[in-house]
Amino acid sequence: MLFSNLLIPFIMILFGMIFVKKPPKYINRWYGYRTSMSSKNMETWNFAHLYFGRIWLVEGWILLLATIVAMLFVLKKDIDTIGFYSLVIEIIELILMLIPIILTEIALHKRFTKDGIQRY
């Protein structure tokens, strides 16, 4: 169960590093942080990947450590207790995994006009 609970934080850390260090070079339909605002132009595309990647990287490490600590509390417990804790952890991780999308969209709208032109 620990492995499955650590899967989301590891994915967040991995993609956070990729988006910060080597974001997709071109706007595409298959890979990357793809929203209508991030896909306006290369400036919004690069900003969105850097911003989103940093949040996912930090949040991934925090979730990784929090998950390990949380799972220590169910060490040597029965299988039903471990399963319940794992389900709660997974739901929390999935919710926290989506919050950076909202934060990135807010940052994009603050920094760029609706046409993708930088405000400052």
Side-chain angles (χ1 to χ4, degrees), residues 59-73:
E59 190 177 12
W61 281 110
I62 292 168
L63 279 175
L64 181 77
L65 295 174
T67 299
I68 292 170
V69 170
M71 289 304 287
L72 288 175
F73 287 106

Side-chain angles (χ1 to χ4, degrees), residues 23-89:
K25 293 182 182 181
Y26 305 104
I27 299 170
N28 65 75
R29 295 182 188 179
W30 301 279
Y31 168 68
Y33 181 84
R34 300 175 320 270
T35 64
S36 61
M37 189 63 185
S38 69
S39 300
K40 294 282 183 189
N41 57 48
M42 284 307 296
E43 199 171 2
T44 58
W45 181 256
N46 290 330
F47 175 81
H49 281 85
L50 183 62
Y51 193 89
F52 185 80
R54 285 179 179 165
I55 294 173
W56 256 27
L57 188 57
V58 170
E59 190 177 12
W61 281 110
I62 292 168
L63 279 175
L64 181 77
L65 295 174
T67 299
I68 292 170
V69 170
M71 289 304 287
L72 288 175
F73 287 106
V74 294
L75 200 61
K76 304 214 180 192
K77 300 281 185 185
D78 63 283
I79 193 83
D80 291 333
T81 303
I82 294 170
F84 177 74
Y85 268 73
S86 293
L87 176 64
V88 171
I89 289 169

